Amino acid sequence: MKKFLVAVIAFSMSAAGLVQAADTPVYLDSSKSVEERVEDALSRLTLEEKIGLIHAQSKFSSRGVRRLGIPELWTSDGPHGIRSEVMWDEWRQAGWTNDSCVAFPALTCLAATWNPAMSELYGKSIGEEARYRNKNVLLGPGVNIYRTPLNGRNFEYMGEDPYLASRMVVPYIKGVQSNGVATCVKHYALNNQELNRHTTNAIVDDRTLYEIYLPAFKAAVHEGGTWSIMASYNLYKNQHVCHNQYLLNDILKGEWGYDGAVISDWGGTHDSIQPITNGLDLEFGTWTDGLKLGKKNAYDSYFLADPYLEAIKSGRVGTKELDDKVRRVLRLMFRTSMRPDRPFGSMCSPEHYDAARRIAGEGIVLLRNEGGLLPLNLSTPKKVLVVGENAVKMMTIGGGSSSLKAQHEISPLDGLRSAVGDKAEVKYVRGYVGDVSTDQDGVVSGQNLVDDRSAEELIAEAVMEAKDADYVIFVGGLNKSPHQDCEDSDRRGLGLPYGQDAVIEALAKANKNLVVVSVSGNAVAMPWVDEVPAVVQAWYLGSEAGNALADVLTGRVNPSGKLPFSFPVCLEDVAAHVMGEYPGVKRQNENIWDEKYNEGILVGYRWHDTKKIRPLFAFGHGLSYTDFEYGRLTADKKSMTGDETVTFEIPVTNTGKVAGAEVVQLYISDPKSSVMRPVKELKGFRKVYLNPGETKTVTFTVGRDALSYFDADRHEWVAEPGKFTAHAAAASDDIRSSVDFTLK
Ligand code: GLC
């Protein structure tokens, strides 16, 4: 009897998966560690199976091991939502009808919230959508630095400051990976423009590399624990970064000890030997430019496919590198597809739409609000005129690989109409005609934006309608078409396209209650800014765009966004264009463009501060419908040793009439240093929510790393003893209180 009972119990427990049956292979035994399972799986693989694991088998998937029951690995774009299914080997739509997603706001909007909690919410939500769609690797987020306002993909990234990008990328990664879905932080590294993105050889000094362009990736690895990294298209030290001794082997896997998988950008692999020796683990998209082209069914002829197998079999190369690659890919699988305790995800849920709307609302930046024109005063019936193509144009489609098939997208016009309901009559006129394209990769908007009227006719109509409106809201900016905010091309200038400036200037003359809303992922020139009382920076806000924008315009949400990058007055005020060699210099007889980052660490506000150039709107700038008063910044010690920390405190009071949130920024200056240093650098920020009359004390604790610069000769971070100054600020050009302290 006893034996029988034991057998029953053992069977029921193993059936419940509580304990593995005695003969369960280690790699399938979820009670074993990932490392044990990886080693066991590796020991069982044939040479062909190992090779099969390190390159793509389709546009977005790579092989598993059918014989062992290890599933194939599925990746998906993008950073703002889960891309719709494409054909096995093409960018064209697969024609599914259940793959519409929630489009979350662009990551520049997330950065503009300056709120790590929003980043965690974002990552968790988008990770749930990826999990539900059975994707193992999310191809994002992107954290390349905003070096030039012309970069077509700035809208996918987190601004100009490495500290802000570092703080905001970590929670996103944790949120996504809590679903058992890997992030693939991109594009590592120095892919800071789209023009010549496959052929630009970035020439950057080490100090600039370590202080500006690597920190967000290092934080993603060391604090975020990203399970994969996407190597970028460009070159560094004359090697394509997808197989780069310096960035991949020496820094990422060497100095940083990275244990995850390096995935090539699509079409970023260009050599038969370097991918073997220079740190590439998983080759995707070879022979495509990442957007189209591509050889049919070329997968067996990928550099890390048959050619590599052949080189091993002929004895030309060993298998040491192969086993390292396979370990990293298996580790990625055992953290995702082979992980038994993953949650199940969800898609298009009310929670995800709520998250999209909240993040958008917290990221919108109120740039200017003369006379408190905003929020709209709808206490009595009003006539509101909405002007501009971006009030109606779908923005979730286009822009390259981050393009989405959104389940819905509320336009600014629709959002405003549903928000003001019977309190206002909302009329719409086109104002200007920009981009009337309606699809990307076969995802179609269903809109018909064609309008053959001349610019003069459109302006005349807008001016005529504006004359007797109580408010005029112009919604313009950029869009996701080539040479706007779009992958694989940069903008050709800083100005608004499609003659928008003329429309805005005409409206400003016709009606003083003019609000300009710029929908964009980049700074734009605003020659009319002094004639326009209210200016709002509204990003690509995703599915809930119109609702979030209306929330802010009507005051349902008090704006609390701050700019994650500087708005220059003109390109001549931008370091990359004045000292840097953007877009690069073409080599004589080679299709390679060398680009010296001569501006070094002086990117964004670091440049504006040092050269005393006033930006149009500063990094960290953003207004509120209430006012905040800062008290005095104090330090808990006047001097500190290198292994101590110093804590700063500052009281902040909401002195206005409505509740709101303020982002208190902490900058550190090193006034006397043996090397050139920026006037100040962001080393802390806190978003604090305050009711009218409420005061809270904001504290920052910093250590020597906040005081250090990277000494390239010693190849280490150095904090020089001496005087430092901490500044509490509402923006990089709005310091409220400072305090000196000394590093002994
Ligand atoms: C694209 C992009 C990359 C994207 C990949 C797959 O070219 O550079 O961000 O994830 O290819 O679409």
Side-chain angles (χ1 to χ4, degrees):
M1 182 56 179
K2 188 164 173 291
K3 268 194 180 150
F4 172 70
L5 272 178
V6 166
V8 166
I9 291 168
F11 171 74
S12 53
M13 285 176 79
S14 66
L18 296 177
V19 291
Q20 308 290 347
D23 57 352
T24 303
V26 169
Y27 76 95
L28 290 177
D29 182 347
S30 53
S31 70
K32 296 286 189 292
S33 72
V34 164
E35 291 316 306
E36 287 174 293
R37 298 175 69 192
V38 164
E39 289 310 312
D40 181 52
L42 181 69
S43 68
R44 297 166 185 266
L45 297 177
T46 64
L47 179 59
E48 286 73 11
E49 288 167 338
K50 289 181 181 179
I51 293 286
L53 285 174
I54 61 173
H55 62 85
Q57 65 168 5
S58 77
K59 192 56 82 182
F60 283 106
S61 74
S62 59
R63 216 175 290 175
V65 186
R66 294 178 180 179
R67 175 177 66 85
L68 297 177
I70 296 176
E72 46 203 25
L73 196 71
W74 279 91
T75 71
S76 173
D77 287 316
H80 308 149
I82 309 307
R83 189 172 184 170
S84 49
E85 295 298 328
V86 297
M87 303 294 276
W88 180 260
D89 183 42
E90 298 169 39
W91 299 108
R92 199 159 48 89
Q93 290 306 295
W96 288 21
T97 53
N98 65 343
D99 57 353
S100 299
C101 69
V102 172
F104 295 93
L107 291 193
T108 316
C109 175
L110 173 60
T113 69
W114 291 59
N115 185 349
M118 285 296 111
S119 186
E120 169 100 32
L121 172 66
Y122 195 125
K124 177 179 174 299
S125 305
I126 194 173
E128 286 168 346
E129 301 241 336
R131 177 70 191 96
Y132 188 82
R133 285 272 300 284
N134 270 319
K135 304 303 178 184
N136 308 120
V137 183
L138 176 67
L139 300 174
V143 283
N144 292 102
I145 290 294
Y146 189 107
R147 174 174 178 257
T148 164
L150 304 187
N151 177 15
R153 290 184 87 173
N154 277 330
F155 72 99
E156 289 186 50
Y157 305 146
M158 298 191 182
E160 75 186 26
D161 182 85
Y163 180 82
L164 175 64
S166 300
R167 294 306 98 220
M168 294 303 286
V169 73
V170 167
Y172 179 111
I173 295 167
K174 290 186 179 299
V176 171
Q177 298 194 154
S178 67
N179 291 283
V181 174
T183 47
C184 186
V185 180
K186 68 189 186 181
H187 304 85
Y188 178 80
L190 298 167
N191 182 177
N192 304 305
Q193 66 193 59
E194 289 302 292
L195 180 54
N196 305 323
R197 64 175 177 162
H198 299 269
T199 54
T200 293
N201 179 42
I203 300 171
V204 195
D205 65 278
D206 279 2
R207 183 178 174 202
T208 301
L209 183 67
Y210 279 80
E211 287 194 19
I212 302 295
Y213 297 103
L214 291 182
F217 289 103
K218 185 174 183 183
V221 166
H222 281 172
E223 299 170 61
T226 182
W227 294 332
S228 67
I229 285 257
M230 186 186 293
S232 60
Y233 284 131
N234 54 284
L235 294 89
Y236 173 67
K237 293 191 175 175
N238 296 314
Q239 278 184 0
H240 277 98
V241 174
C242 285
H243 30 85
N244 190 288
Q245 174 63 30
Y246 315 97
L247 287 172
L248 299 183
N249 282 352
D250 298 349
I251 297 174
L252 178 65
K253 297 181 177 179
E255 285 178 34
W256 298 354
Y258 186 54
D259 75 348
V262 172
I263 300 178
S264 74
D265 200 342
W266 268 238
T269 311
H270 301 280
D271 187 277
S272 53
I273 294 298
Q274 287 182 14
I276 299 170
T277 57
N278 291 3
L280 177 61
D281 301 310
L282 200 36
E283 180 186 354
F284 267 93
T286 297
W287 293 302
T288 167
D289 63 0
L291 289 177
K292 47 191 181 301
L293 308 180
K295 280 181 177 173
K296 273 276 174 229
N297 293 319
Y299 303 107
D300 289 340
S301 51
Y302 270 31
F303 296 104
L304 290 183
D306 288 357
Y308 187 19
L309 181 61
E310 182 43 45
I312 290 172
K313 283 184 171 173
S314 68
R316 283 204 311 277
V317 295
T319 58
K320 179 169 65 72
E321 294 89 355
L322 176 61
D323 285 350
D324 180 58
K325 298 176 199 301
V326 172
R327 278 194 177 87
R328 292 170 183 274
V329 173
L330 286 172
R331 203 170 286 139
L332 179 57
M333 292 171 156
F334 283 103
R335 288 168 164 164
T336 58
S337 58
M338 291 291 287
R339 205 179 105 185
D341 62 343
R342 287 177 292 167
F344 297 99
S346 57
M347 201 166 156
C348 299
S349 62
E351 292 79 6
H352 292 174
Y353 282 113
D354 177 60
R357 183 168 180 168
R358 278 179 60 200
I359 295 162
E362 275 215 27
I364 289 170
V365 182
L366 179 58
L367 294 175
R368 183 178 158 85
N369 192 22
E370 293 303 300
L373 181 64
L374 288 176
L376 302 174
N377 177 350
L378 303 175
S379 54
T380 56
K382 293 287 176 14
K383 288 183 70 175
V384 177
L385 176 69
V386 176
V387 184
E389 182 173 284
N390 283 1
V392 298
K393 181 176 175 58
M394 272 187 83
M395 293 291 187
T396 52
I397 295 176
S401 57
S402 63
S403 178
L404 294 172
K405 180 163 90 172
Q407 185 184 52
H408 73 241
E409 179 183 350
I410 308 291
S411 70
L413 179 60
D414 289 347
L416 194 62
R417 280 187 164 143
S418 66
V420 299
D422 53 359
K423 283 179 281 185
E425 175 212 341
V426 181
K427 279 192 83 170
Y428 172 70
V429 291
R430 186 66 173 270
Y432 70 93
V433 177
D435 168 56
V436 297
S437 68
T438 57
D439 85 310
Q440 180 188 305
D441 307 325
V443 178
V444 293
S445 69
Q447 296 185 303
N448 176 0
L449 296 173
V450 173
D451 187 326
D452 298 329
R453 289 177 292 168
S454 71
E456 290 69 26
E457 285 174 290
L458 290 164
I459 292 177
E461 176 194 45
V463 166
M464 192 258 292
E465 291 294 343
K467 286 202 184 324
D468 64 352
D470 296 300
Y471 289 104
V472 177
I473 302 174
F474 176 87
V475 185
L478 305 177
N479 57 42
K480 299 286 193 70
S481 59
H483 301 294
Q484 300 290 321
D485 285 321
C486 183
E487 180 171 338
D488 204 33
S489 69
D490 282 350
R491 284 199 290 157
R492 295 190 175 110
L494 189 62
L496 284 172
Y498 316 127
Q500 293 177 68
D501 290 339
V503 187
I504 293 167
E505 281 152 11
L507 289 172
K509 291 189 182 68
N511 190 314
K512 64 185 182 342
N513 288 347
L514 173 62
V515 180
V516 169
V517 177
S518 179
V519 175
S520 78
N522 251 315
V524 295
M526 298 182 175
W528 32 261
V529 70
D530 294 334
E531 284 83 57
V532 177
V535 181
V536 177
Q537 173 59 34
W539 316 98
Y540 298 112
L541 299 172
S543 290
E544 289 293 297
N547 290 333
L549 181 60
D551 286 344
V552 168
L553 294 179
T554 61
R556 181 175 171 278
V557 167
N558 184 357
S560 62
K562 299 271 185 180
L563 288 178
F565 51 76
S566 313
F567 261 60
V569 172
C570 56
L571 277 184
E572 293 66 36
D573 289 353
V574 178
H577 296 260
V578 174
M579 275 185 78
E581 287 186 341
Y582 177 89
V585 179
K586 189 176 179 316
R587 287 183 189 170
Q588 285 309 316
N589 48 13
E590 237 187 319
N591 186 24
I592 299 284
W593 299 68
D594 288 309
E595 182 166 352
K596 293 195 185 94
Y597 284 28
N598 296 318
E599 76 280 7
I601 58 174
L602 298 180
V603 176
Y605 69 92
R606 290 171 165 82
W607 171 260
H608 285 284
D609 286 350
T610 304
K611 300 296 180 183
K612 297 185 174 36
I613 297 170
R614 280 190 58 74
L616 177 61
F617 295 107
F619 172 80
H621 170 77
L623 302 177
S624 170
Y625 293 147
T626 190
D627 298 302
F628 298 101
E629 202 167 279
Y630 288 52
R632 209 163 52 78
L633 183 67
T634 58
D636 69 346
K637 52 176 77 84
K638 292 303 285 175
S639 68
M640 62 186 273
T641 61
D643 48 16
E644 284 180 315
T645 60
V646 55
T647 296
F648 303 102
E649 287 194 353
I650 183 160
V652 181
T653 305
N654 178 344
T655 56
K657 298 185 179 54
V658 294
E662 170 70 330
V663 178
V664 182
Q665 298 154 46
L666 183 80
Y667 294 88
I668 301 281
S669 298
D670 181 0
K672 263 175 54 49
S673 162
S674 64
V675 294
M676 181 278 290
R677 297 197 71 176
V679 169
K680 62 180 184 294
E681 296 177 83
L682 181 73
K683 296 296 177 185
F685 60 89
R686 279 286 181 293
K687 191 161 205 172
V688 59
Y689 296 81
L690 295 167
N691 289 315
E694 186 180 11
T695 297
K696 280 182 185 166
T697 297
V698 178
T699 63
F700 301 95
T701 298
V702 299
R704 62 176 294 133
D705 56 348
L707 316 180
S708 304
Y709 67 89
F710 187 77
D711 182 321
D713 300 332
R714 293 162 60 177
H715 202 74
E716 61 182 12
W717 291 87
V718 171
E720 281 181 334
K723 182 182 136 191
F724 287 84
T725 305
H727 311 280
S732 62
D733 68 345
D734 183 2
I735 291 175
R736 300 295 177 88
S737 179
S738 303
V739 64
D740 292 343
F741 63 103
T742 305
L743 173 66
K744 279 190 277 196

